Amino acid sequence: AKLTVVGRLGVPERVLSRYADRIDYLPTVARGEVPGIMAAHDVLLFPSYFEGAGIVLYEALAAGLALIQSDRAAVAVTPDTGILLETLSTEALLEAMCLAISDRARLAFWRSNAQAAAARHLALRAVRRPAPRRLLGRLGALFRWSAARRAPAHGVLRRGPELRAVH
């Protein structure tokens, strides 16, 4: 398995360079590149200590990614789309990642439910409080883009000799 870390970690690059064979580190990514990165991966790891809205979680679902997320953000994951980490620890994260890597059928199940979960969330938000048309248009474009780009399941974290995850 190979992990792609997107965004600044606050960890010296020399520390991550020891794991260059297993970790791709992208400290700075243009917003326009994120959909392409998501399309090349199967799981979004989101072990956040605090994240109010968690919009990236819904973007990941719309892109067909399974989720592994902490309970310290907006809870977008369901048992049908991934794993909720109720204990945020290295051990819990490792266990969740190993499950996604080793159980391909479960990973495929999570991914097969992701886009429908994102659509349900969007529909519930629209009922609770009408969103501006511009936002709905952008989310609709994201769903259409995601559906058009949806290829056969890649493999964790890319199917093939190595698996990938995006953090």
Side-chain angles (χ1 to χ4, degrees), residues 35 38-39 41-42 56-67 76-78 80-82 107-124 139-154:
M38 285 187 178
H41 295 80
D42 293 317
V56 70
L57 295 165
Y58 299 103
E59 291 174 332
L61 287 172
L65 297 179
L67 300 178
V77 70
T78 69
D80 292 340
T81 60
L107 176 60
F109 174 75
W110 290 337
R111 292 193 69 205
S112 71
N113 291 302
Q115 290 181 326
R120 279 192 304 277
H121 172 74
L122 180 61
L124 286 174
L139 287 173
L142 176 62
F143 289 136
R144 285 190 301 278
W145 172 86
S146 181
R149 298 270 312 186
R150 180 130 175 134
H154 293 293

